Structures are given as structure tokens and as C-alpha cells.
Amino acid sequence: DIIVPYLLSRKVDKIDRVIISHKDWDHRGGFSSVAQKIPILQVLTSSPQLFPNYNTQSCHDGLNWQWDNVTFKILFPITYQSGQTNNNSCVLKVCTNNHCALLPGDIEIEAENEMVKREQKELKSDLLIAPHHGSITSSSLAFIQNVHPSWVLFPVGYLNRFGFPNPLIVKRYREFGTKTFSTAENGAIKFIFSAKKITVLNLN
């Protein structure tokens, strides 16, 4: 576990809000180890039943807040749904005054299409975390066109059994002119948002 040592090194003694996109283990697996060491004030998730001992709120579009001049918006799901699927993932948009990042969890094409219809003006972002780790079931052309990202990051494990990111999806982003990064190939990547530009650092 590297999250707790990192937070403690930064002198973090409490966490105001944790967002767990959905129930899949690769999206919530490290929660308990963090919660054992650092108090968590709120959990925002599409799977609130998994966190009965915490102050939990269901994510849905329309939720928004601002911390330190950074705006956070939940764009999806439209309303809380009990079905626990990839398409129930919390989709978070984070914006400074000049730049935005979109974190869509594991949504697939059905949810992407719904967002293109309902949230078209909100999708534009400089940085996109690839939906569902670059699965062939996500990253439709319409979704990519509306997000129009300069960078896409594929959060994947080295030699993962699903073969993420799918080569066809990587090609689709590159053909659109998007610069691609993969944690399996590049390791830790840091995006620094400043007033004039976004700086990308490979921490390896």
C-alpha cells in the first residue's frame, strides 16, 4: 500500500471526501486500508450499501462543490440507480479556472451516448482518464469528439489479463490527435495544471 504512506508524508490527518466510482474491487480495494489509518468524513459513491459505517452520499448529476478555486462536478449517473454496473459509475469533472480533467470510471458506450445527449456542453476536457481502462466497450468516437482531450491516460496494470488498453482504442485516440499515456508503460504520471498550460511529468 503506497497511498497511506504518501498521505502521511504530506501530513494529511483527515480526508474530507472519498469518491468511489462503483463497486468493482479495482476501484474500491484500497479504501479500507486508508480508512483504518486516516479519518474519512464522507464517501460519495454509486454503491452506498457497501459503506454502511460511513457518512455516505449517492452520486448523481447536479452535485457540485468548490475547494480552493477548483470546481468539482458530478455529471453522471443521471439519477441514482440500484443496478450495480459499469454504467452506474460516478463521472467526475474537475476544473481550475483554465483547464479541466474528466474522470469517467468504468462507463461504457451506452452511458457515453447518454452523456453526449444530456451533457454535451459539459464534456469538453483537456485531460481524460480513459473510460473502463481503455476497453473496446468504451471510448466511442462521439464521446472522444465531445470530450476533445489533449491527453488521455489509461490506468492499467502491466500485462493485465484483460489486455487493457485495447490497441484499437489507443489508435482511435491517436488518430484524433490525443496524446496517450499508460500507467503500465509510463508508470506514475503527474499532470500539473497552471494558469497558462498543463505540464506532464513522468515520475519514473
Side-chain angles (χ1 to χ4, degrees), residues 46 58-61 75-82 87-88 118:
S46 65
S58 299
C59 63
H60 58 81
D61 76 314
L75 303 183
F76 200 80
I78 304 305
T79 57
Y80 172 66
Q81 304 170 27
S82 60
N87 283 330
N88 205 34
R118 292 176 175 264

Side-chain angles (χ1 to χ4, degrees), residues 19-37:
I19 301 177
I20 306 292
S21 63
H22 62 300
K23 72 178 183 66
D24 286 358
W25 188 251
D26 59 324
H27 288 254
R28 65 179 175 93
F31 177 84
S32 59
S33 62
V34 175
Q36 289 172 7
K37 299 291 185 180

